[in-house]
Amino acid sequence: EAGVTQFPSHSVIEKGQTVTLRCDPISGHDNLYWYRRVMGKEIKFLLHFVKESKQDESGMPNNRFLAERTGGTYSTLKVQPAELEDSGVYFCASSRVGLPETQYFGPGTRLLVL
Amino acid sequence: GQQVMQIPQYQHVQEGEDFTTYCNSSTTLSNIQWYKQRPGGHPVFLIQLVKSGEVKKQKRLTFQFGEAKKNSSLHITATQTTDVGTYFCAGPLGNNFNKFYFGSGTKLNVKP
C-alpha cells in the first residue's frame, strides 16, 4: 500500500508569491488533514476534509490560505500571497473514517518564504 | 494558547539510560496518540491509548494514560541510538474527534 505523498518536498519563494502544495492520501482514506510545524514548535492543525467536504478549517491562519479537495481524492493547499511567517513544514495526513483512527503522515513540504 | 503541553523539550541521554517524556492536557482527552519523528522525517504513529489508566508496551517503550485522561507518558528503557528523534503526543480536544492538538514534542538525543 502506497503511503501519503506530498509535492513538492521543498519550496523556496519570495514574499508576495504564490505557492501550491499537493497531497495525495492513501487510497481509500476519506479523512485528509493539513498540519504545519514552524521551527521548534508544535505541529499545528490547519484543517480536516472528509472526502471533498471541509469538516473543520478552524486552524487556517487567515484568508491567504485556501485548501481544496475536489473529487475527494488529492488535496491542494494554496498560499497567496505568501508572507515570511508562512515558512515551516506543511504535513498532510490521512486516515480511514472511524473513531478514532490512526493518522498516516506524508513526508511534508518544507516551505521557505524569503 | 497551547492546550497540550509536553516536557521536557530536549533530552540528552547516554545509550543504555532510560528516557521519559510527559504530556499534559488542559482538558480531558477521549484518546491520546504518540508519534515519533526521526530527524528529517515525518511523524510516524506509535500507539493510541483510549482507556483511563491504560498502560501499553511495545518492546522497550511503555505508554501510560492517566486516570483523569488529562496526562500521558512515554518511557523508553535502555535507550539505543535508533531511538533518536522527536516524540509527539496528540489528542483531540473538543467535539471534533479528528482535530488533533499536538504537543511541542520532546527531542531525544542518544549518545553512543
Side-chain angles (χ1 to χ4, degrees):
Chain A
E1 182 183 70
V4 177
T5 58
Q6 291 186 246
F7 182 83
S9 58
H10 296 78
S11 182
V12 181
I13 60 173
E14 292 187 349
K15 176 183 171 181
Q17 289 187 320
T18 297
V19 63
T20 300
L21 314 180
R22 173 171 169 145
C23 168
D24 286 79
I26 292 172
S27 178
H29 283 193
D30 288 339
N31 284 323
L32 187 149
Y33 314 83
W34 282 99
Y35 293 92
R36 177 173 72 178
R37 188 179 189 209
V38 174
M39 179 80 75
K41 296 196 174 180
E42 75 272 20
I43 299 170
K44 194 171 180 183
F45 171 92
L46 296 179
L47 88 158
H48 167 219
F49 284 98
V50 178
K51 296 186 180 179
E52 67 276 5
S53 299
K54 289 178 187 174
Q55 198 72 14
D56 185 336
E57 54 182 331
S58 59
M60 294 287 262
N62 50 60
N63 58 11
R64 295 185 293 102
F65 288 75
L66 175 64
E68 295 180 319
R69 193 184 181 193
T70 308
T73 54
Y74 71 91
S75 174
T76 57
L77 179 64
K78 183 194 288 189
V79 185
Q80 178 183 32
E83 297 288 343
L84 300 179
E85 64 265 24
D86 300 333
S87 296
V89 182
Y90 289 78
F91 290 106
C92 173
S94 72
S95 71
R96 297 183 189 279
V97 171
L99 293 175
E101 285 292 331
T102 300
Q103 297 190 25
Y104 296 87
F105 279 75
T109 294
R110 283 147 184 81
L111 174 65
L112 179 60
V113 182
L114 301 175
Chain B
Q2 194 171 336
Q3 295 171 294
V4 178
M5 305 296 294
Q6 201 173 340
I7 57 168
Q9 192 173 3
Y10 301 96
Q11 185 83 57
H12 300 270
V13 300
Q14 197 73 39
E15 190 171 23
E17 291 182 337
D18 292 355
F19 158 77
T20 305
T21 173
Y22 300 90
C23 184
N24 290 286
S25 167
S26 55
T27 59
T28 301
L29 298 167
S30 59
N31 69 88
I32 194 158
Q33 299 185 359
W34 284 91
Y35 292 80
K36 176 184 178 182
Q37 183 175 3
R38 293 183 186 274
H42 59 276
V44 174
F45 174 83
L46 294 176
I47 209 159
Q48 177 178 271
L49 304 170
V50 180
K51 299 176 184 175
S52 168
E54 188 170 13
V55 177
K56 285 188 177 180
K57 292 191 175 185
Q58 286 180 351
K59 297 182 180 177
R60 294 178 294 104
L61 277 61
T62 301
F63 303 84
Q64 204 161 6
F65 201 8
E67 293 291 341
K69 299 182 76 172
K70 294 175 95 171
N71 61 295
S72 180
S73 65
L74 157 58
H75 180 82
I76 303 178
T77 303
T79 54
Q80 300 174 0
T81 54
T82 52
D83 296 326
V84 165
T86 301
Y87 293 83
F88 294 96
C89 62
L93 299 174
N95 296 324
N96 182 357
F97 294 110
N98 289 294
K99 183 178 180 180
F100 277 75
Y101 289 81
F102 279 75
S104 53
T106 296
K107 189 172 183 179
L108 172 64
N109 187 38
V110 181
K111 291 176 284 187

